[in-house]
Amino acid sequence: MSLGDERESSGGYGGTGQTRTRLPESGGDVYGGARRGGRSSSRSLVTVVGVVVLLIAAIAFANRGGDDSDSPAGDENQPKSSATAASGARPVDGKAGGIPAGFAQDEQGAQSAAANYAVTLGSTGMFNQASRHSIVDTIYTPTAAAKLQSAMDQAYSPDFLSKLGLDENGAAPEGSTFVSRTVPVGTKVEQYSTSSAKVSVWYMGLIGMSGQSSTDPVSSTWKTWTFDLQWVNNDWKITADTQKDGPAPVPGDDRAATSDEISKAIEEYGGFTYAR
């Protein structure tokens, strides 16, 4: 899924933050005995891309924006309403390889591109070589994509996939559902010009295997993904990206779903095209 650090050393999408979880009322551990403490392999899942970008030495993450001078007087910690308020702008109509495309050449377009690219890079399609190559070629600049492909192939090796319970093609065992999703919560423009932009996406990630025999149940993680974007061929494309942990809210006391409930939800609930 995933990607991440030129990504920073804090790790990629599959972070290691602790969470409180209530088990199903039927009793016992989640998914019939799987222990959350033993899921280090999946938690390093998106860290993979962190390793990938480190390998290719992508553009350094620097010059973070965020001038608070426009904040209302007397409440300096209050974010500007424009940072979080929905604009009502229409989502893009076009797609390239099933991925939203044709974003506007403005700040809202850059934010929408970053959110949609985070969703794509956090999907199960990243675990199959053919679909991964297509994704990378579609949303990265040609130069960045050329550097990433072989490094990602090495990162998503058959050995790595097997540790996640997947076969060499990234497929889950019969009767199980592999879950890898990125759910954007909000976006923020760090820097912007008509030719380039830096946009951060705060998101919740879902990762794990749903199935009665799974030892790696689906869990959530919170990250911030920052994308360096460039205006290329009338659209925003990624030149580099980094990730860091959090901010993570205090976990609630919701009952953990059973594997059947998770599998059914993944099958029945599709994703969104994100717009500012």
Side-chain angles (χ1 to χ4, degrees):
M1 170 177 48
S2 309
L3 308 132
D5 238 320
E6 174 207 298
R7 289 171 185 189
E8 297 185 356
S9 59
S10 59
Y13 166 6
T16 57
Q18 297 179 344
T19 58
R20 266 187 320 175
T21 303
R22 289 182 58 189
L23 302 177
E25 295 178 358
S26 57
D29 286 344
V30 175
Y31 297 0
R35 296 179 58 83
R36 298 238 169 187
R39 58 187 317 280
S40 59
S41 63
S42 72
R43 288 185 181 247
S44 63
L45 172 55
V46 182
T47 303
V48 155
V49 180
V51 173
V52 168
V53 184
L54 282 172
L55 290 173
I56 66 169
I59 299 174
F61 175 60
N63 300 323
R64 186 180 285 270
D67 186 354
D68 293 329
S69 60
D70 293 333
S71 298
D75 191 0
E76 296 181 355
N77 294 323
Q78 179 68 31
K80 294 179 290 184
S81 61
S82 61
T84 55
S87 69
R90 182 178 180 181
V92 294
D93 293 325
K95 284 193 174 183
I99 302 170
F103 299 97
Q105 191 179 11
D106 55 25
E107 291 192 17
Q108 292 187 29
Q111 291 178 78
S112 185
N116 282 282
Y117 292 164
V119 171
T120 301
L121 290 171
S123 70
T124 56
M126 291 297 293
F127 297 87
N128 173 271
Q129 185 181 65
S131 63
R132 180 173 64 252
H133 282 198
S134 178
I135 288 171
V136 172
D137 284 338
T138 299
I139 67 178
Y140 283 85
T141 62
T143 299
K147 294 179 179 180
L148 277 170
Q149 295 291 17
S150 62
M152 282 193 174
D153 287 345
Q154 294 178 34
Y156 289 94
S157 65
D159 180 62
F160 172 73
L161 295 176
S162 68
K163 292 178 180 178
L164 300 176
L166 304 172
D167 65 19
E168 61 182 9
N169 295 314
E174 184 176 356
S176 296
T177 301
F178 179 59
V179 180
S180 179
R181 286 196 182 186
T182 299
V183 185
V185 176
T187 59
K188 180 178 69 170
V189 175
E190 305 285 357
Q191 297 174 12
Y192 178 79
S193 73
T194 56
S195 61
S196 64
K198 184 186 291 289
V199 179
S200 292
V201 181
W202 179 34
Y203 73 90
M204 180 187 72
L206 300 176
I207 183 69
M209 186 76 74
S210 177
Q212 293 298 330
S213 61
S214 173
T215 59
D216 191 21
V218 180
S219 64
S220 61
T221 182
W222 290 85
K223 299 280 184 179
T224 298
W225 208 335
T226 300
F227 295 92
D228 288 309
L229 303 173
Q230 183 177 345
W231 187 254
V232 178
N233 296 327
N234 296 316
D235 211 349
W236 293 108
K237 302 295 181 180
I238 305 171
T239 60
D241 48 296
T242 62
Q243 290 198 56
K244 66 178 183 179
D245 293 332
V250 175
D253 291 323
D254 301 305
R255 176 184 67 86
T258 65
S259 61
D260 288 342
E261 290 173 327
I262 290 293
S263 296
K264 184 178 181 181
I266 290 298
E267 293 173 359
E268 293 181 345
Y269 293 88
F272 298 96
T273 295
Y274 288 84
R276 174 71 170 76

